[in-house]
Amino acid sequence: MENSAETVLEPIILNPTSAETTKSEKGKTPRFRTLRLMLAGWLLGNLILGSIIGLLTIYFIASTGLVRVPVLTNLMFKTPAKVETNADSLKSAQKKADQIASLAAGQSIPEITFTEAEINALLTENFEKTKTDIINPHLTLDSNNFVFTGNLSSTSAPIKVKGTINVDSGVFKLDILKTTFGQQTLPPLLTNNVIYTAFAKVGFDLQNTPIPARQVDLQVGQIILHDVTQVQ
């Protein structure tokens, strides 16, 4: 009886490795938790960065006016007042154009001057009739340089184009040097298509328009044609 009272009962362990495994997992838990938190932070950070880049890209595109972006376009650009054609300047320009067109072979006119106002009247009339992507066109002449302004019809964004005018072998050539669309200055390579297409619709090729004259003087506010004949 005394021996049975002194006997110490040992716990029965069905799986002797389970206790050790539990201790091991407890030791690893903080490390795994840290890794999960780091991964979650990395994913969240990239998600936020991607969202910021996406929003900035959308804002930049909207600010050029080349693409209509809901809400942003209306906030950035207001509908401009319509520029009316100057009737007197248009009548004068058309009369001079008709004079040139009526010349027979061998006939010539010593000199014809087209003023800036006459040129802009023709531009406004023709751009409006053909419904180009540009409205309110206006050309400013300064010797061999020009500045063309207007608005994009789809977004009302203002545009400004600077360049040079050259006359080579009886052909007008306009070289675009700088373009501003909306709020952004863009490389001409990105915007030339819009400008060239608009002018082509009204019958003017910026790189290859024949001149009905043997000599041309480009001055501030006017173009003077000397020895005017019909374009062959």
Side-chain angles (χ1 to χ4, degrees):
M1 296 295 292
E2 293 179 359
N3 292 336
S4 61
E6 294 177 358
T7 301
V8 178
L9 298 177
E10 295 289 339
I12 301 174
I13 300 175
L14 297 177
N15 187 356
T17 61
S18 62
E20 296 178 0
T21 303
T22 303
K23 292 180 180 180
S24 176
E25 287 178 352
K26 287 182 179 180
K28 291 181 179 179
T29 298
R31 185 182 303 171
F32 288 151
R33 186 177 299 161
T34 301
L35 289 174
R36 285 198 297 269
L37 289 174
M38 290 175 63
L39 179 60
W42 180 80
L43 291 173
L44 181 61
N46 278 275
L47 181 61
I48 294 173
L49 179 61
S51 299
I52 292 173
I53 293 174
L55 290 173
L56 289 176
T57 301
I58 293 172
Y59 179 85
F60 177 81
I61 292 173
S63 68
T64 66
L66 289 169
V67 178
R68 171 169 284 278
V69 178
V71 181
L72 283 178
T73 295
N74 292 336
L75 290 174
M76 291 179 177
F77 310 115
K78 303 303 179 184
T79 302
K82 181 182 178 181
V83 175
E84 300 293 339
T85 303
N86 185 303
D88 292 336
S89 296
L90 179 62
K91 183 178 180 180
S92 176
Q94 289 176 332
K95 182 179 179 180
K96 294 174 182 179
D98 290 341
Q99 282 182 301
I100 297 173
S102 64
L103 289 173
Q107 289 184 321
S108 65
I109 301 173
E111 181 179 300
I112 290 182
T113 299
F114 284 91
T115 66
E116 197 174 273
E118 291 170 340
I119 294 170
N120 282 311
L122 287 172
L123 284 177
T124 301
E125 179 76 2
N126 286 295
F127 270 62
E128 185 174 344
K129 281 183 177 180
T130 54
K131 303 299 180 183
T132 69
D133 293 333
I134 298 175
I135 58 175
N136 296 340
H138 186 273
L139 186 68
T140 302
L141 300 172
D142 182 9
S143 266
N144 286 1
N145 301 314
F146 75 90
V147 177
F148 176 79
T149 59
N151 297 87
L152 294 175
S153 59
S154 60
T155 61
S156 299
I159 67 171
K160 187 174 185 178
V161 181
K162 293 183 178 181
T164 59
I165 303 175
N166 299 298
V167 179
D168 184 20
S169 301
V171 174
F172 263 129
K173 291 185 178 181
L174 278 71
D175 294 319
I176 297 174
L177 303 179
K178 182 179 180 181
T179 60
T180 301
F181 274 55
Q183 302 172 0
Q184 304 295 333
T185 298
L186 301 173
L189 182 64
L190 298 178
T191 57
N192 280 355
N193 184 59
V194 176
I195 300 165
Y196 285 2
T197 300
F199 274 90
K201 283 185 177 180
V202 299
F204 189 80
D205 186 340
L206 294 181
Q207 289 295 306
N208 188 28
T209 296
I211 306 168
R214 290 188 171 87
Q215 183 180 344
V216 180
D217 285 338
L218 303 172
Q219 299 182 3
V220 177
Q222 62 183 9
I223 296 177
I224 304 174
L225 306 179
H226 299 279
D227 197 7
V228 181
T229 59
Q230 264 198 344
V231 176
Q232 301 299 319

